[in-house]
Amino acid sequence: MSDLFYDVTGSGPVLLVVPGGAGHPMGLGPLTERLAAHFTVVTHDPLGLAHGRLGAPVADQRVPDWSDGAHRLLDEVLPEGESAYVLGTSAGGVAALDLLARHPARLRHVIAHEPPCVTLLPDGERLRAELIGQLESGRPDSGEVTPFAVFLDHVLRPFTRYRPQAGLPGLTVAAGTDSRGQLLHKAAQYTARHTGGAFAEFPGGHLGALEHPGAFAERITQILHA
């Protein structure tokens, strides 16, 4: 039995979507529906949380494990010799950066939206600790196993520690217009400089893919078709 969990919709060039948080694609339906008019959208669910595994034991996550899973998924859905576009948001953007560093031949272009690579900033370790503290303060008291709880317990710390490789080809690092002046907008700008990628602004804030799916999909299509 395959340990890859994903959904496919649409037709056209393959666009691999790696969600943020713990990789649960909740709320991304309106975005993928719009993207499916232009692409074969393959939505990765790295931990299978949307495919019956929410509540199963989860180990602390490693960025290379997510990017390895994405690479194996591309091998499964792409004919040999073909390449794909990739959109990664937040933690998924971190995985997309690692995928691009390790498997560039399989990728046509990568968009990493607000990857939390905060240690690239001056005083990055302090900013990382503050970010973790802010997110932890939003933990519900119920003790229920939710995608957000999995993210806090097993994804947040290792993924915010990630430092991408310098000099990555075929990359756009994006941040939301509503995030201007905030930590993750600054982190995206520093990530673009560090990697040599282009920098672009997208509609909305950190959750722009959920809040403005139509405009967000239009911006993705504009960049990838260019």
Side-chain angles (χ1 to χ4, degrees):
M1 177 178 168
S2 173
D3 61 349
L4 295 174
F5 302 95
Y6 61 96
D7 296 291
V8 181
T9 185
S11 60
V14 170
L15 169 59
L16 174 66
V17 176
V18 188
H24 193 301
M26 57 185 174
L28 287 179
L31 175 69
T32 58
E33 287 171 11
R34 288 164 171 82
L35 290 172
H38 306 279
F39 305 97
T40 299
V41 183
V42 181
T43 306
H44 194 197
D45 178 7
L47 300 180
L49 301 184
H51 292 80
R53 294 190 55 80
L54 183 61
V58 176
D60 289 345
Q61 296 299 291
R62 299 172 61 251
V63 174
D65 291 340
W66 280 35
S67 63
D68 281 346
H71 182 237
R72 289 188 293 115
L73 176 51
L74 290 178
D75 283 344
E76 189 161 302
V77 301
L78 273 180
E80 186 174 354
E82 293 191 12
S83 54
Y85 298 114
V86 179
L87 166 69
T89 63
S90 193
V94 171
L97 291 170
D98 197 62
L99 177 65
L100 180 58
R102 300 170 68 201
H103 304 288
R106 291 296 262 167
L107 309 181
R108 298 173 72 169
H109 196 87
V110 169
I111 298 174
H113 182 263
E114 296 202 6
C117 300
V118 294
T119 60
L120 291 175
L121 278 73
D123 206 13
E125 286 297 340
R126 179 186 64 81
L127 294 170
R128 175 176 174 268
E130 289 182 359
L131 175 63
I132 290 172
Q134 290 169 4
L135 291 169
E136 283 281 5
S137 70
R139 181 191 293 270
D141 296 327
S142 65
E144 181 184 0
V145 177
T146 64
F148 184 59
V150 174
F151 166 68
L152 292 178
D153 291 338
H154 302 293
V155 179
L156 174 60
R157 285 168 177 79
F159 277 59
T160 52
R161 192 179 296 120
Y162 182 79
R163 295 178 66 89
Q165 177 180 302
L168 294 176
L171 172 65
T172 297
V173 184
T177 55
D178 293 348
S179 298
R180 289 174 185 166
Q182 299 176 14
L183 175 59
L184 294 183
H185 192 285
K186 295 176 184 176
Q189 291 178 305
Y190 270 81
T191 301
R193 294 173 197 161
H194 176 77
T195 58
F199 177 77
E201 287 195 321
F202 273 51
H206 191 62
L207 300 180
L210 308 182
E211 297 165 345
H212 305 283
F216 205 91
E218 184 177 345
R219 190 76 170 104
I220 291 167
T221 304
Q222 178 188 50
I223 289 173
L224 297 184
H225 281 175

